[in-house]
Structure formats: C-alpha cells, structure tokens
Amino acid sequence: MATLLALQGVTHTFRRSGGALVTAVRDVSLEVGESETVALVGESGSGKSTLGRIALGLIRPDAGRVLIAGKNLHDMANRELRRERIAFQPIFQDATASLNPRRTVRDLLRQALRQRGADRNEHMRIELLESVGLRPGSLYLERYPHELSGGQRQRLAIARALAMKPRLIIADEPLSGADVSMRGQVLNLLLDIKKERGLAYLMITHDISIARAFADRVAVMKEGQIVEEGPAGVVLSKPREDYTKRLLAAVPQLAY
Amino acid sequence: MSREAPPILRLQDVSLTFRTRAGAVRALNGASLAVHEGEAIGLVGESGSGKSTLARAVLGLNPERSSRIEAGRILIAGRDVTRLSQAEWEGARGHPVAMVFQDPLSFLNPIMRIGRQIAESIERHAPDRRVEERVGELLALVKLPPSLARAYPHELSGGMRQRALLAVALACEPRLLIADEPTTALDVTTQAEILALLRDLREQLGMAMLLITHDLGIVSSACERLYVIYAGRVLEWGRSQDVFGAPAHPYTVGLFQAARADRDAQGRFATIGGEPPDLGETAKGCPFAPRCPSAMAECIQSMPGVTVVGEAGSHAVRCWLYPPAQDAAATAGHVFGS
Ligand SMILES: Nc1ncnc2c1ncn2[C@@H]1O[C@H](COP(=O)(O)OP(=O)(O)OP(=O)(O)O)[C@@H](O)[C@H]1O
Ligand SMILES: Nc1ncnc2c1ncn2[C@@H]1O[C@H](COP(=O)(O)OP(=O)(O)OP(=O)(O)O)[C@@H](O)[C@H]1O
Ligand SMILES: [Mg+2]
Ligand SMILES: [Mg+2]
C-alpha cells in the first residue's frame, strides 16, 4: 500500500494569549496509506485538530516533515501545492466557520465542483446534496449556510468536500451534530465512497462507534503525543494504555 | 417540586416561520412543552426537526427580519415573552434563562478574551460580585485551566470552546439552562465530567435544564422527562422511563431503533427510512405519515389530538394508532406535560 500522507516527527508549540506555551503536537509520526482509514482519538485539547491542520498544510510545524505522496509539502511550489490540496479535502469541526456566509448553497457547491472542472449542471449539485441526505436537494440550493440547521450545515460541508473528488479526506468530528438516523445515512455514504473510489480518511473523532465501524487503524493522542497505535480491532478491543481504556469506557448507554 | 408555581418555561402551540429566497419554512408548527423548576428535560428529534429554532425562540434569538412567530405563546416563569423585541430582550437584566449554543464559535465574541466574556455575563447578572475570582471559579467548574481567561476563542480547541460557552451561560446563575448539543465535541471522559457538573448544579441550585441532544443515551440517563419533536411538532412526551420503556409513536420507535442498532449483516448502519418532510408546505395530517410504516388513511387527513398512554398517566402521544380520548378535558393537563 502506497503512503499518501506521512507526518514525520512533527512538533508544534502555540503561545496562547496570556502567555501559556502549549505544545499541542509533540514529535508525532503518523502515516495514512492509499484507501486506508485512520481514526485519531483522544480527549479534548490533546492536539487532534492541530495535527489535522498540520496535515492539511494550514499550520507549518515548528519541527518535522509533512510528506504528500513522498514529497515535502512545505517544499512544493504554489501551484503544485494547490493541486495537492484539492486532493486532500478537509471537513472541519466547526462547519459554520468553514462555509462562506455570503454564498448560497448553490454557489458553494458550484465553486467546489469547478475546482475539479466538473460543474456541469444543476442536476449534479442536487445529486450531491441528496447524497448527504439533504432531500429534496432543490429545497436547499437557494439557502445560505445560516439558514440550515446544525446537522444540515455539517452535511453541506461533507457534500462540498466530496465534490472535489479528493483522495484523502481529513475530517474533524464530521458527524458530531448529526442524529442517529442521519449519522447512519452519512456513514453508509462514506463507506460506499471508500469502497467505490478507494478514498482514504484521517478521521478525527471522539465517537468510538465511528472508529470501530470505519477505521483500519486507530491512533490515540494524549497531551500532544500518540500514546497508542495499531489495527482498529486490537486497539479498540484490547487497549494497552489505561488512557485508552478510559476513553473507551464511559460511553453512555440507553438506560432503559 | 411544586406544581403550583407556573413552570419556568412553557410553550403553547408555537408556530414559527422563516422567510428564505426559496419560500417559507415552517420550522415550528404548534409546538408545546413545559419545563418546571429544577427539572431536567430532553428534547430529541432528527436533524432539522426544529430543536434549535425552539430554543432560540425562547430567548428571542431567531433573526428578527426573516422569522416570525405566527401563533402560540412563550411564557417564562409565567410572563409572556412571545413578542419581546431584540432590544427588550437585551434590556432584560437578571434574565432567568441562559443558553449554550450548538455552534460555539458563532456565539463567542472572536475579539474578546474568554475571561472578559465570562465577566460580562457575571456583571449583567450581579454587578457587585467579585468578578475576577468568580471567573476563575467558573473556568475551574468547566474543567478549564485559569490561564485560559486571557485566551481568545480561536486559540481554544473545539471542546474547550464548548466548555467556555457553558461557563458564560452559567455565569448568570440561570434558573433554566437551555443546552443545545453541549457535549457533541467532547470525548467521553470530558463529556461525563460536564454532565456530572450539570447534575450537581441542578441539585445544588435547583437549576432546570432543557437538554437538546442527538445522544439518546445521555437523555435516558440525565433527563427526567423528554419530548420528541418532528417537523416542528411535538409527537410524544413523558417520563424518560415510560417513553424509553414503551415508545408509542412509530417515529420514536424508529429513532430508538436507529440508536440501539449496530450495523446489519451487510455492514450498513440503521436509519429511519424515507425523507424528512419539506417544511414549505403545511400538510394537514401527521407530518410523519409519508415515512410511517403504520400509516393509515386518517393519518394523511388530519393531525390527531393528544392521547395519554400507559398507566402512570405521564406519557402522551399524538398518533392515530392511539385514538384520542373522548373527554378532551381529561387530557388537557397533559398537553403541556404538567
Ligand atoms: N491557534 C491557536 N493558538 C493558540 N493555542 C492553540 C491554537 N490552536 C490550538 N491551540 C491549543 O492547542 C491545544 C490543542 O488544541 P486542539 O484544537 O489541537 O485540540 P483537540 O484535540 O482538537 O481538542 P478537541 O477535542 O477539544 O477539539 C489546546 O490547548 C489549544 O488551546
Ligand atoms: N434562519 C433560517 N432560515 C431559514 N430556514 C431555517 C433557518 N434556521 C433553520 N431553518 C430551517 O428550519 C428547520 C429547523 O431547523 P433547526 O435548526 O431548528 O433544526 P434542529 O432540530 O436544531 O436540527 P439539528 O439537529 O440539525 O441541529 C430546518 O429545516 C432548517 O433548515
Ligand atoms: Mg478539535
Ligand atoms: Mg440544532
């Protein structure tokens, strides 16, 4: 399996206003192979989103290398970088912040499809919306992001990422606002795309059932470091670290 | 808990419509519910069913220009707030209701330090408090380090933002906290801590809570009663043990099944079949009828009234599978869950 994304010894420290120095990511190495799904789990503030942003080239790490298909991301010329960026699509934790509030749903999709030279007609846009459960799609084209519910906005962000036909999706809590039925629908869709197109995912999630259903490998982050990594079946059923055991433990169950 | 005093929150048949470029969206369609002092209530339903709209309506936060409450009343501690303007809302000091939003970034001020935002909330509520100290206490309460007081929202992780917003909401010591997906961005350990915190606050201060969440596990363990909403209508409500124990409405049944089910033999996740309704048209019948496995002719004709189900008398449903009682007065008390 060819390596699509490789993070090598990546470290990044923030200075938060107020003076606190936070090493959000500390000497992390992680690889995602062609059509592989890696789940990144860990408690709040452990550095997951920062690592995702580094992989997307949105944050330049203080140390370490980010390789895309073997090439150093930060050595690439702009045009090449832009091309690779399209192949790596993000779905951010906060969908509102990533969707231009002044664009209608139609414009947002048109723009995304154009990047791939694929925006041929309204039908494609509608199809895309319906594939993430926004049905009938025509109902949503004229809306602005703030005119959607939280879960609808998140699904719009997913539709937009899929429009670019990426090779790797870096998704940060992509389904945290979706109800159980919708979550099922979108996960089924992502599983299908994974099968059909051999798409790879780096899936940041605190939802262990998503990791279980989806991931080939699981990496567990704690205070900026990866403390445990391995095949999903092993990490999720026989965690080595106490920390991982705790993360897996307290899932609230239906009480009745 | 006294049932004499008016509930801290009551919605009576509230209908709300948004105007969009593509036409009207009726997000609430005669929704009713009640939250009593100190109670923990769950509000559940699929994405787009109107949960956040309902929550925002209570605080007058739906966009003034493009939304309108067309019918019904909203009462806070007995006071009618249905028609309060934005300005009147902002002037309402010592307001008994605070909210945690689904989407923290759009409700935290991006250019104000977290500590300042918490302080403003304290000052609005009780100007004479020792603000600095209280900010520290509130940060500790939501498990954030004191140094975060000087940070800006974009410098926080997703889960930290959610907790910061909770600190802002708790700063005004509300009698009712409306929490819209307050723990979605949190890992289970942090989530468990926040839920325990909310439980303590309810026990110590008698704070009531309206909890909106997709996580039925949380509702079943943290809420005494729940309301199930679909297409802007409350279809079923009752004590958690009754509703989870014997869900009556086929929609509720589907929702619970999807939550319980693991993947099927083909590795697919369970979903409720069919499409959520188009909120543009106001259908006469039950909004769930087009997707309902048990739909009958009358379901398309009209929306049924309220039927009390179960023995306890604290569980009610609007569904033609449970024909309404003849004596409407007998069920009237249950309409608002009192
Ligand atoms: N732009 C920034 N400036 C300063 N500090 C930052 C910035 N972004 C993140 N941090 C800090 O880095 C640490 C890790 O944050 P990160 O967002 O990576 O966590 P996370 O694992 O994604 O958490 P969550 O599950 O809550 O989203 C936190 O302490 C956060 O305050
Ligand atoms: N400002 C708005 N303008 C137009 N339509 C809106 C607006 N806000 C919400 N809607 C629509 O109203 C319906 C209810 O939205 P609401 O945000 O209340 O849903 P929700 O139950 O909170 O869903 P979720 O679980 O996805 O957050 C949705 O169909 C949504 O598209
Ligand atoms: Mg994060
Ligand atoms: Mg919502």
Side-chain angles (χ1 to χ4, degrees):
Chain A
M1 181 171 52
T3 304
L4 210 52
L5 167 72
L7 301 169
Q8 299 179 337
V10 173
T11 295
H12 192 72
T13 301
F14 290 109
R15 177 183 292 280
R16 254 186 343 230
S17 303
L21 280 180
V22 184
T23 301
V25 173
R26 190 190 301 266
D27 193 19
V28 167
S29 298
L30 183 70
E31 293 191 356
V32 183
E34 207 85 59
S35 27
E36 189 186 26
T37 299
V38 177
L40 189 59
V41 303
E43 71 188 1
S44 180
S46 58
K48 305 180 298 294
S49 296
T50 304
L51 194 64
R53 298 177 80 84
I54 289 172
L56 285 163
L58 298 175
I59 294 177
R60 190 181 183 133
D62 300 336
R65 300 201 304 162
V66 182
L67 305 180
I68 293 181
K71 275 182 290 188
N72 192 329
L73 178 73
H74 294 283
D75 291 344
M76 286 183 200
N78 276 340
R79 185 190 299 170
E80 193 181 6
L81 187 62
R82 228 179 359 254
R83 204 173 49 233
E84 295 297 349
R85 278 243 181 97
I86 294 174
F88 282 26
Q89 276 304 313
I91 299 171
F92 291 110
Q93 193 164 5
D94 195 315
T96 314
S98 66
L99 297 167
N100 185 339
R102 278 192 280 277
R103 294 287 174 101
T104 59
V105 170
R106 175 185 287 113
D107 289 343
L108 288 165
L109 293 179
R110 191 184 270 155
Q111 193 185 33
L113 285 162
R114 253 192 216 140
Q115 300 234 23
R116 279 271 146 185
D119 184 50
R120 276 186 292 274
N121 52 42
E122 188 93 334
H123 180 70
M124 283 188 78
R125 293 167 215 138
I126 290 178
E127 210 170 53
L128 206 51
L129 286 173
E130 300 197 340
S131 72
V132 293
L134 293 171
R135 299 193 193 96
S138 54
L139 204 65
Y140 297 95
L141 285 169
E142 291 276 317
R143 301 247 192 117
Y144 291 92
H146 75 268
E147 296 179 332
L148 300 174
S149 80
Q152 290 167 345
R153 228 169 6 239
Q154 226 163 3
R155 282 175 277 143
L156 172 63
I158 293 175
R160 205 176 54 140
L162 293 177
M164 311 220 203
K165 291 212 187 300
R167 283 196 291 161
L168 171 69
I169 287 192
I170 299 182
D172 197 350
E173 306 283 6
L175 289 163
S176 58
D179 63 83
V180 280
S181 173
M182 197 48 69
R183 220 182 58 167
Q185 268 186 41
V186 176
L187 283 175
N188 286 339
L189 169 77
L190 294 180
L191 283 169
D192 288 346
I193 295 172
K194 181 178 157 153
K195 250 185 269 159
E196 281 162 24
R197 295 204 210 141
L199 199 63
Y201 295 94
L202 177 60
M203 183 78 82
I204 299 171
T205 180
H206 64 266
D207 186 331
I208 300 301
S209 66
I210 292 182
R212 190 166 280 138
F214 225 60
D216 304 309
R217 275 189 307 128
V218 172
V220 183
M221 253 183 122
K222 181 189 182 193
E223 290 166 16
Q225 289 182 298
I226 290 183
V227 292
E228 180 161 7
E229 193 201 326
V234 177
V235 174
L236 298 176
S237 59
K238 295 192 202 68
R240 241 180 330 107
E241 298 282 327
D242 278 350
Y243 178 73
T244 312
K245 285 179 197 153
R246 259 189 294 131
L247 278 181
L248 298 183
V251 190
Q253 301 288 333
L254 282 178
Y256 302 102
Chain B
M1 175 183 350
S2 158
R3 289 290 153 106
E4 312 301 312
I8 179 73
L9 174 65
R10 167 163 287 181
L11 271 79
Q12 293 178 330
D13 294 313
V14 174
S15 293
L16 182 147
T17 304
F18 290 111
R19 267 186 296 113
T20 72
R21 298 212 307 201
V25 177
R26 173 161 278 209
L28 296 178
N29 195 356
S32 299
L33 62 73
V35 183
H36 296 274
E37 301 275 357
E39 247 189 336
I41 300 297
L43 179 60
V44 306
E46 282 177 296
S47 180
S49 56
K51 305 180 297 296
S52 299
T53 303
L54 186 153
R56 283 191 302 257
V58 172
L59 286 172
L61 289 173
N62 284 303
E64 215 162 342
R65 277 184 308 162
S66 61
S67 76
R68 216 172 83 82
I69 295 181
E70 293 176 317
R73 297 203 302 161
I74 300 172
L75 303 162
I76 294 179
R79 175 176 172 215
D80 191 330
V81 297
T82 320
R83 308 262 165 239
L84 281 197
S85 71
Q86 204 70 52
E88 287 169 305
W89 274 105
E90 272 154 28
R93 274 170 189 277
H95 200 293
V97 184
M99 181 159 170
V100 180
F101 299 91
Q102 190 168 11
D103 191 1
L105 261 196
S106 42
F107 287 92
L108 286 167
N109 183 340
I111 55 168
M112 195 189 281
R113 296 181 199 270
I114 296 295
R116 189 70 233 143
Q117 302 194 40
I118 299 173
E120 288 206 342
S121 181
I122 298 170
E123 283 159 4
R124 249 198 319 274
H125 166 71
D128 47 335
R129 287 291 286 270
R130 295 175 53 194
V131 171
E132 201 110 326
E133 201 178 297
R134 182 78 184 127
V135 169
E137 278 172 28
L138 282 160
L139 284 172
L141 216 51
V142 297
K143 316 282 172 198
L144 290 175
S147 67
L148 270 191
R150 301 186 57 76
Y152 291 95
H154 76 272
E155 298 174 322
L156 271 55
S157 80
M160 288 166 150
R161 273 177 211 144
Q162 222 167 23
R163 284 174 283 157
L165 195 61
L166 181 60
V168 173
L170 294 176
C172 55
E173 296 175 17
R175 277 159 67 198
L176 169 64
L177 176 72
I178 302 180
D180 196 353
E181 305 283 2
T183 60
T184 41
L186 299 177
D187 59 281
V188 286
T189 38
T190 316
Q191 184 182 72
E193 286 172 356
I194 293 297
L195 291 172
L197 162 72
L198 291 174
R199 190 175 332 109
D200 290 350
L201 288 172
R202 291 206 310 110
E203 278 162 14
Q204 287 161 23
L205 310 173
M207 180 182 81
M209 178 167 77
L210 180 62
L211 182 66
I212 299 173
T213 177
H214 290 303
D215 193 326
L216 296 171
I218 293 180
V219 174
S220 75
S221 62
C223 297
E224 290 141 26
R225 295 193 299 121
L226 78 153
Y227 289 81
V228 182
I229 186 172
Y230 182 76
R233 282 182 193 275
V234 174
L235 296 183
E236 180 166 3
W237 61 99
R239 286 195 312 189
S240 295
Q241 61 204 81
D242 299 332
V243 180
F244 281 105
H249 203 287
Y251 174 60
T252 315
V253 173
L255 212 56
F256 290 0
Q257 261 166 8
R260 283 208 177 85
D262 235 350
R263 288 191 296 167
D264 64 16
Q266 284 81 48
R268 314 289 293 175
F269 290 88
T271 63
I272 302 177
E275 314 302 339
D278 176 346
L279 299 173
E281 53 196 87
T282 39
K284 292 179 293 181
C286 171
F288 190 60
R291 298 168 72 185
C292 184
S294 328
M296 306 169 291
E298 47 271 58
C299 303
I300 299 152
Q301 294 306 317
S302 64
M303 184 70 198
V306 177
T307 306
V308 175
V309 289
E311 318 226 304
S314 55
H315 179 184
V317 65
R318 294 184 71 178
C319 174
W320 282 117
L321 291 176
Y322 309 83
Q326 297 302 311
D327 180 6
T331 59
H334 295 276
V335 174
F336 308 118
S338 35

